[in-house]
Amino acid sequence: MIDVQEAITRAHHAEWARVVAALTRRFGDLDIAEEAAAEAFATAVERWPADGVPPNPGAWLTTTANRKAIDRIRRENKRDDKQKEAQMLYDDDPVEPLGAVDDERLRLIFICCHPALAMETRVALTLRMLGGLTVAEIARAFLVQETAMGQRITRAKAKIKAARIPFRVPSADDLPARVSGVLAVLYLVFNEGYLATSPDADPVRHDLTAEAIRLTRLVRALLPDDGEVAGLLALMLLTEARRTARVSASGELVTLDQQDRGAWDGTLIAEGHRLVRERLATGVAPGRYQILAAINAVHTSARDIRDTDWSQIVALYDQLVRLDRSPIVALNRAIAVAELDGPEVALAAVDRLGEKLAGYHAFHATRADLLRRLGRGQQSRAAYDKAIELAGNTAETAALIRRRDQLG
């Protein structure tokens, strides 16, 4: 017997993005599209338990959402042209050309990453519209408050409406102008899967990492000469290779130095290393994702944590800092510096980031570890307490609690 609630959940994950994007393109209004889609899913919650799950849930949801949108437009008694266009939905829909991108989900990401919007805005809007991440998860990815992120997304919708930015199928000529936004979306989706920020989610969400890798492979097939696309794919593969070693049997996050390297996926590592070598062989100055991939290649080349070439990693971070002055990059560089120059030098660098990263749990976790290594137990405990307060991932929280309690 089909579990109706499970069917609705599965349909939401698979169909939300497609329904919203289709209605947005047809009616030219993202708010109407989202509200109609939400009403369609609410109707499913009411009807499916009594009527049963329809043979084609996606088609049922699309039809219901279309009719909800039409009803709303008619109630507003506006948009005469839109009503005429909407009436076509009761007949056979004209087939929309696929454009340069065959995959439905990837096509939607390219559609949403319109260059008329600021980069952060288009990334946030795309993550929300595709339904993979909540506003809270997106806010944590950008290190801002949830209310601020909600306002940012609302303003993006208003700009789309005011400027009449078209949600049309991208052509091959559109792709280069949009690819940076697409890569940013895929990277954030992958990161949310690699280390989920919500305490209500699984600590590691393989569904998100696998989908991000699949879509990045498709982008690479579209833009095979783009170094950053290859770099992001390599970064994802080298990170995903360590997934099964990241959470212990007791449910704790396992840090890189404690992981069983024999459990890493050698096939993914080999493919990631090959992509990194290919990009280095071009002689072209690497971008952000390529440098991050190279850092991960150094880590995955070491059979033991003691074999890690920390000087090379710090040198790569030095390159990255010149491209990306994010405080998170500076924090990660300091972690590598601790292995090369010692925890005292690293702590000084970390403390300089305090004002920018006060609300970031990894900042406090890093300070706690460095203070522990310096024998400053009371200060380390306080830093662990703050990291535990801010952390959302259950496996990471469990690991932080254990480390704090081991201070004695």
Side-chain angles (χ1 to χ4, degrees), residues 90-396:
Y90 290 113
D91 303 318
D92 292 333
D93 286 347
V95 177
E96 186 176 8
L98 293 180
V101 186
D102 290 336
D103 183 83
E104 177 73 21
R105 184 168 289 271
L106 184 60
R107 186 161 64 249
L108 296 177
I109 295 175
F110 269 104
I111 288 171
C112 294
C113 287
H114 198 288
L117 298 172
M119 176 61 74
E120 283 195 354
T121 300
R122 75 179 85 154
V123 170
L125 179 64
T126 305
L127 289 169
R128 181 69 191 109
M129 184 174 172
L130 290 176
L133 302 184
T134 65
V135 174
E137 289 168 341
I138 298 168
R140 284 191 288 269
F142 281 91
L143 299 182
V144 299
Q145 294 295 316
E146 183 176 349
T147 53
M149 180 52 67
Q151 291 168 358
R152 183 181 298 178
I153 292 172
T154 299
R155 286 195 297 270
K157 293 178 185 178
K159 180 172 182 178
I160 288 170
K161 184 182 295 186
R164 297 185 178 181
I165 296 172
F167 277 83
R168 63 177 179 82
V169 176
S171 67
D173 292 340
D174 293 327
L175 303 187
R178 302 188 183 200
V179 69
S180 57
V182 171
L183 295 183
V185 168
L186 296 177
Y187 183 47
L188 289 175
V189 170
F190 181 88
N191 281 346
E192 180 62 27
Y194 177 70
L195 189 66
T197 58
S198 172
D200 300 323
D202 290 337
V204 176
R205 297 181 58 185
H206 180 53
D207 59 325
L208 291 183
T209 58
E211 179 67 355
I213 290 172
R214 183 186 75 84
L215 293 173
T216 306
R217 288 189 187 279
L218 293 177
V219 177
R220 185 161 189 263
L222 291 167
L223 300 166
D225 297 325
D226 190 305
E228 282 294 80
V229 176
L232 180 58
L233 178 58
L235 172 60
M236 288 180 177
L237 294 174
L238 294 172
T239 306
E240 179 72 0
R242 308 196 298 266
R243 176 174 55 85
T244 56
R246 296 194 69 240
V247 179
S248 69
S250 61
E252 285 189 19
L253 192 72
V254 182
T255 55
L256 182 63
D257 60 309
Q258 297 293 322
Q259 287 177 17
D260 175 9
R261 300 190 175 214
W264 291 356
D265 189 321
T267 302
L268 292 181
I269 290 174
E271 184 180 359
H273 285 183
R274 177 179 57 78
L275 286 168
V276 170
R277 288 194 300 270
E278 287 177 0
R279 293 311 309 167
L280 290 175
T282 65
V284 178
R288 175 172 177 256
Y289 296 121
Q290 294 169 76
I291 296 173
L292 286 170
I295 291 169
N296 276 266
V298 176
H299 279 303
T300 51
S301 296
R303 295 185 178 183
D304 186 277
I305 188 67
R306 292 168 295 186
D307 299 329
T308 304
D309 188 345
W310 291 107
S311 62
Q312 186 176 3
I313 289 177
V314 171
L316 287 167
Y317 270 118
D318 288 341
Q319 289 186 54
L320 185 58
V321 166
R322 289 194 285 270
L323 296 177
D324 183 353
R325 298 192 176 277
S326 160
I328 294 179
V329 171
L331 178 67
N332 290 331
R333 180 187 180 279
I335 293 171
V337 166
E339 303 302 324
L340 191 65
D341 298 328
E344 190 167 3
V345 175
L347 182 61
V350 169
D351 282 344
R352 287 194 290 271
L353 303 171
E355 185 176 343
K356 295 179 179 178
L357 296 179
Y360 185 42
H361 76 280
F363 164 76
H364 298 283
T366 301
R367 286 195 75 248
D369 181 65
L370 294 172
L371 289 164
R372 176 190 60 78
R373 291 166 63 178
L374 289 168
R376 294 156 64 176
Q378 187 173 355
Q379 291 174 288
S380 177
R381 177 179 292 276
Y384 273 126
D385 286 340
K386 188 63 178 179
I388 291 164
E389 175 190 332
L390 294 171
N393 186 282
T394 54
E396 190 169 19

Side-chain angles (χ1 to χ4, degrees), residues 2-24:
I2 296 176
D3 185 317
V4 175
Q5 188 57 49
E6 181 184 346
I8 294 172
T9 302
R10 192 163 57 238
H12 188 285
H13 181 74
E15 299 295 338
W16 172 268
R18 187 181 64 80
V19 172
V20 171
L23 267 63
T24 301

Side-chain angles (χ1 to χ4, degrees), residues 2-67:
I2 296 176
D3 185 317
V4 175
Q5 188 57 49
E6 181 184 346
I8 294 172
T9 302
R10 192 163 57 238
H12 188 285
H13 181 74
E15 299 295 338
W16 172 268
R18 187 181 64 80
V19 172
V20 171
L23 267 63
T24 301
R25 291 197 302 273
R26 185 169 296 279
F27 299 112
D29 192 310
L30 181 55
D31 288 330
I32 286 178
E34 287 189 327
E35 290 178 15
E39 289 180 18
F41 279 98
T43 303
V45 172
E46 293 175 1
R47 294 187 182 176
W48 289 9
D51 300 343
V53 179
N56 189 335
W60 188 97
L61 289 165
T62 300
T63 300
T64 303
N66 279 321
R67 288 173 177 165

